[in-house]
Amino acid sequence: DDCSATRWKEYDLLDDILRQINPGLKAKSAPCETTLLFHSRFQKFFNHFILGLDGGCQLLGRVTNHVIKYELQGRQAWHTHVLLWIHPDDLPDVEKLLTMEIPYEVDPETGEYKVPSDEVLAMLHNIIVQKNQHSCSSQCRLHGECRYGFPFPAQYSHTPVLCPKSKRYLPYCPGYRHRNTVCYVPMIALLWNAHTNVVRVTNDNLSYYLLKYTAKAEPAGSLMVEPDAMHSLTVPDCSE
């Protein structure tokens, strides 16, 4: 997470290094380095906390198969789309981890919601409020309703409930205040410290998702280079 107010410390360190070269440079000025940084951080996180390799843990149960797709957002922030196949015996426990709840405390005197006094819950509160809230735009409301299903209705079961109309699993959502929270798993949100969206999907949505990202074209472009520059770079002449 290289763009938000509470971004990863690695990007602050990269900023410090770049300022020593040129005071005007920031992490965004080093796309190769930030790409390698994100890839390294994601791979270490995924292998240790999701796949449980090298003595790690499996926060989402036993993963039998997975697919990973990298994308670059318009604001130049890398993110990944990950499909996980969870062992059927682990699924009932794993899906109860999914939640849209924003951690709050209620002031006993005023009845107002406030940041939890517990340090870990306060940290989780800040992550979810700053990084995991959906704000509808014209892009997600092309046909009137939000294509992602926001705002979500209240749903008080910790086991996701399949909505027959939207064909989406509705996660635990304890009321109106939490309606625009992007579904997450608390431990993953704390450890990753960036936007996360963890949901259970139907077979139909899974098929559409795989087809969409299999057929999606990779970014492409063109580059014009002067002949003298090509000669200096020892690039062969490809004009013929």
Side-chain angles (χ1 to χ4, degrees):
D1 184 359
D2 60 323
C3 295
S4 71
T6 54
R7 67 182 188 163
W8 294 336
K9 293 182 179 179
E10 292 95 327
Y11 287 101
D12 292 329
L13 295 173
L14 182 56
D15 277 348
D16 293 339
I17 294 172
L18 291 171
R19 287 194 194 99
Q20 296 175 26
I21 302 172
N22 185 324
L25 294 178
K26 294 183 178 181
K28 289 184 179 181
S29 308
C32 292
E33 287 77 7
T34 53
T35 298
L36 289 171
L37 190 159
F38 178 86
H39 176 72
S40 174
R41 199 179 200 273
F42 173 78
Q43 287 295 324
K44 290 176 181 178
F45 182 94
F46 188 77
N47 289 337
H48 188 83
F49 292 112
I50 305 301
L51 298 183
L53 302 179
D54 300 325
C57 55
Q58 296 171 301
L59 294 178
L60 297 175
R62 289 167 289 177
V63 177
T64 58
N65 289 290
H66 67 272
V67 174
I68 299 173
K69 175 75 174 182
Y70 283 82
E71 279 199 326
L72 188 64
Q73 293 176 327
R75 62 189 180 99
Q76 303 305 304
W78 282 103
H79 66 284
T80 52
H81 293 262
V82 183
L83 284 172
L84 301 175
W85 282 260
I86 306 299
H87 193 285
D89 293 344
D90 296 342
L91 185 58
D93 291 329
V94 171
E95 64 181 0
K96 291 178 182 177
L97 301 175
L98 308 179
T99 181
M100 293 177 64
E101 183 178 18
I102 304 172
Y104 281 111
E105 279 184 6
V106 180
D107 190 305
E109 296 182 359
T110 65
E112 294 181 351
Y113 288 86
K114 62 179 183 178
V115 178
S117 55
D118 180 85
E119 183 178 355
V120 175
L121 288 178
M123 186 184 305
L124 181 61
H125 168 93
N126 292 334
I127 292 172
I128 300 308
V129 168
Q130 296 178 29
K131 303 182 178 185
N132 254 53
Q133 296 300 305
H134 176 76
S135 179
C136 283
S137 64
S138 57
Q139 184 176 6
C140 73
R141 287 187 173 272
L142 289 175
H143 303 291
E145 296 183 353
C146 175
R147 62 180 175 142
Y148 302 114
F150 292 96
F152 272 61
Q155 201 285 96
Y156 297 100
S157 170
H158 284 278
T159 299
V161 176
L162 182 62
C163 174
K165 179 181 178 181
S166 66
K167 305 299 183 183
R168 288 189 175 96
Y169 280 99
L170 304 178
Y172 175 66
C173 178
Y176 182 81
R177 183 177 293 272
H178 313 271
R179 68 195 184 283
N180 285 318
T181 300
V182 178
C183 187
Y184 69 99
V185 170
M187 186 60 71
I188 290 179
L190 283 167
L191 291 168
W192 185 241
N193 189 27
H195 174 83
T196 56
N197 181 14
V198 186
V199 297
R200 183 181 178 183
V201 297
T202 63
N203 289 336
D204 289 343
N205 285 340
L206 173 64
S207 300
Y208 169 77
Y209 195 89
L210 284 173
L211 179 62
K212 173 184 175 182
Y213 282 98
T214 301
K216 194 172 184 179
E218 296 295 335
S222 60
L223 178 66
M224 295 183 63
V225 183
E226 296 293 334
D228 291 343
M230 292 184 64
H231 178 75
S232 301
L233 295 171
T234 67
V235 177
D237 186 359
C238 300
S239 58
E240 296 181 0

